[in-house]
Amino acid sequence: MLKISHAFDAGAIEPIALDSAQGIRVNIRADSHADFRQWFYFRLQGAREAPCRIRFENAGRCTYVDGWHGYRVAASYDRRRWFRVPTTYESGVLEIAHTPERDSVWYAYFEPYSWERHLELLGRAEDSPRARVQDLGNTVEGRDLNLVTVGSAGAGKKSLWVIERQHPGETMAEWFVEGLLERLVDRYDPVARALLERAVVRIVPNMNPDGAIRGNLRTNAAGANLNREWGAPSLEKSPEVFHVRSAMHRSGVDAFLDVHGDEALPYVFVDGCERLPGFGPKQSALQRAFSGAFKRASPDFQDQHGYPDDKDTKVNLTLASKYVGHTFGCLALTLEMPFKDNADLPDEAVGWNGERSARLGAAALEPLLAVLPEL
Ligand SMILES: [Zn+2]
């Protein structure tokens, strides 16, 4: 008997037919309160040693159709080791061809980052004498919105902010912060030590807990795309942004990273504030210095491929990095990682994954330290 289930943390799919292993048909589900659809995560049972064809029939009507070209689905037998399975996209249908080796196999849009792991991450942060974990307020559904502060405030110290998962389906962002945070609390890491002598790092590992648990790609439990709420967040629709933005105004911001995943582009890149009024030579020099140092720190980072300069030409101060860059006049970047793979350094077995995101997060300390004297 074949069975597909999705009633678990971040689970999302709509089964249509399970008549035979060769004829499994599903639809990708919309976000819980909005019409974005791309994230999926489900468990298939009963197909051990059976050559399966799983057709995602509405892939062509999903939010980022470009995301399917050259994309391969992530799979796991134990939810620890994830690998990619042969996937095609033709005539609006995404299709997996895979023969599971075990009774259960899990398929996901990208390696998930569970709520349980999120809580463990907070616990590990609190194990460190350098870090504090603070509650900023409630999400729409009453979940905790936590801030991790690493380092102690002092005269002349810079305030660095890093936020993740405004778009909850971009789980690579929380893998990224895991690498970043582990290095920051490592007392023997000289880069972390040098950074914390002159800066305090404030991290929101998960901006959108409700959306993450509900298996949403892009929105919270009120249907809000948090990365369009920074101009005027409200406690009803976007309390997550409301609370974080308030905390930023209390602490000030000298540098800001908003970490995301991009469905279409197979590269790691940053998007800056060039298109904002008031963007000056200082911010421009900081962006170049950050990118240069990041390239030296990690060959996974590059600055050849990214969003074109004319993207979003209407100044959109509702985006986090644009709002922060404009309001605080500081270095403010959106960092994007691929859902597919890094085409400059591809990995046939796993594509871009959690561990690679974590290594990138650890490497991000170097560019932050490099620009610190100029902030
Ligand atoms: Zn995003």
Side-chain angles (χ1 to χ4, degrees):
M1 262 294 270
L2 296 174
K3 179 182 177 183
I4 281 180
S5 53
H6 53 92
F8 45 79
D9 178 8
I13 200 70
E14 288 172 357
I16 305 170
L18 285 158
D19 308 332
S20 68
Q22 284 285 300
I24 299 172
R25 293 156 52 212
V26 299
N27 271 335
I28 292 172
R29 195 206 70 185
D31 279 12
S32 58
H33 297 77
D35 197 27
F36 294 100
R37 57 183 82 221
Q38 195 97 5
W39 174 263
F40 57 87
Y41 179 20
F42 60 93
R43 177 188 189 186
L44 172 66
Q45 296 180 81
R48 184 177 185 134
E49 308 298 346
C52 289
R53 278 157 48 104
I54 306 170
R55 289 166 57 84
F56 297 75
E57 305 225 315
N58 66 345
R61 298 190 300 282
C62 283
T63 305
Y64 299 101
V65 172
D66 282 350
W68 304 133
H69 297 287
Y71 165 79
R72 291 177 300 149
V73 170
S76 176
Y77 297 119
D78 57 8
R79 298 183 308 122
R80 293 180 187 277
R81 283 161 301 166
W82 289 80
F83 53 93
R84 301 281 180 153
V85 291
T87 308
T88 53
Y89 179 66
E90 263 179 50
S91 310
V93 175
L94 188 77
E95 184 174 311
I96 301 173
H98 180 227
T99 304
E101 295 169 10
R102 311 248 185 112
D103 295 320
S104 291
V105 57
W106 307 73
Y107 296 107
Y109 182 37
F110 191 83
E111 181 172 352
Y113 194 99
S114 71
W115 183 245
E116 202 54 37
R117 194 172 179 112
H118 166 78
L119 296 177
E120 286 166 7
L121 179 72
L122 297 179
R124 282 210 303 285
E126 280 207 271
D127 278 342
S128 165
R130 286 181 182 170
R132 300 291 298 270
V133 175
Q134 180 188 346
D135 182 58
L136 293 178
N138 285 344
T139 65
V140 169
E141 295 188 307
R143 293 193 173 88
D144 302 330
L145 188 66
N146 283 118
L147 170 71
V148 178
T149 302
V150 190
S152 43
K157 281 201 167 179
K158 301 296 182 188
S159 172
L160 315 184
W161 276 82
V162 186
I163 69 170
E164 282 78 21
R165 292 188 84 181
Q166 290 202 81
H167 296 145
E170 295 163 9
T171 54
M172 60 286 278
E174 197 161 3
W175 287 106
F176 174 97
V177 85
E178 193 169 304
L180 178 88
L181 193 53
E182 274 178 12
R183 196 170 172 197
L184 272 178
V185 299
D186 178 354
R187 60 176 295 201
Y188 298 115
D189 189 298
V191 177
R193 287 182 60 193
L195 191 71
L196 294 173
E197 272 175 15
R198 288 177 283 162
V200 176
V201 186
R202 295 180 174 88
I203 299 168
V204 184
N206 188 339
M207 283 285 294
N208 198 337
D210 298 346
I213 288 173
R214 283 177 168 274
N216 289 352
L217 174 76
R218 217 163 157 77
T219 54
N220 71 358
N225 174 355
L226 297 184
N227 204 24
R228 298 295 182 277
E229 290 287 316
W230 285 72
S234 74
L235 281 172
E236 294 70 36
K237 194 177 167 210
S238 46
E240 301 88 355
V241 175
F242 183 94
H243 293 308
V244 171
R245 204 185 80 149
S246 302
M248 285 181 171
H249 280 277
R250 289 194 296 273
S251 72
V253 186
D254 295 301
F256 174 66
L257 272 185
D258 180 19
V259 186
H260 287 255
D262 188 275
E263 288 77 7
L265 288 173
Y267 297 102
V268 174
F269 60 96
V270 289
D271 190 55
C273 288
E274 293 84 354
R275 298 177 291 276
L276 291 184
F279 181 80
K282 184 186 172 188
Q283 277 172 306
S284 176
L286 280 171
Q287 285 188 190
R288 281 197 308 278
F290 182 92
S291 286
F294 211 168
K295 275 199 291 190
R296 289 189 292 278
S298 172
D300 270 326
F301 183 82
Q302 58 81 50
D303 56 7
Q304 297 301 303
H305 307 273
Y307 297 141
D309 280 347
D310 59 353
K311 185 184 188 247
D312 238 349
T313 40
K314 72 176 177 4
V315 175
N316 199 342
L317 294 176
T318 65
L319 273 73
S321 68
K322 311 309 177 230
Y323 172 84
V324 171
H326 186 71
T327 304
F328 296 94
C330 65
L331 175 70
L333 300 167
T334 305
L335 176 89
E336 298 279 358
M337 286 172 276
F339 274 93
K340 297 171 182 173
D341 200 349
N342 173 8
D344 286 339
L345 213 52
D347 185 309
E348 182 60 29
V350 301
W352 190 256
N353 71 354
E355 186 60 38
R356 296 180 73 184
S357 306
R359 300 296 170 94
L360 186 77
L365 284 196
E366 321 267 4
L368 288 172
L369 179 64
V371 299
L372 197 56
E374 313 302 328
L375 294 177

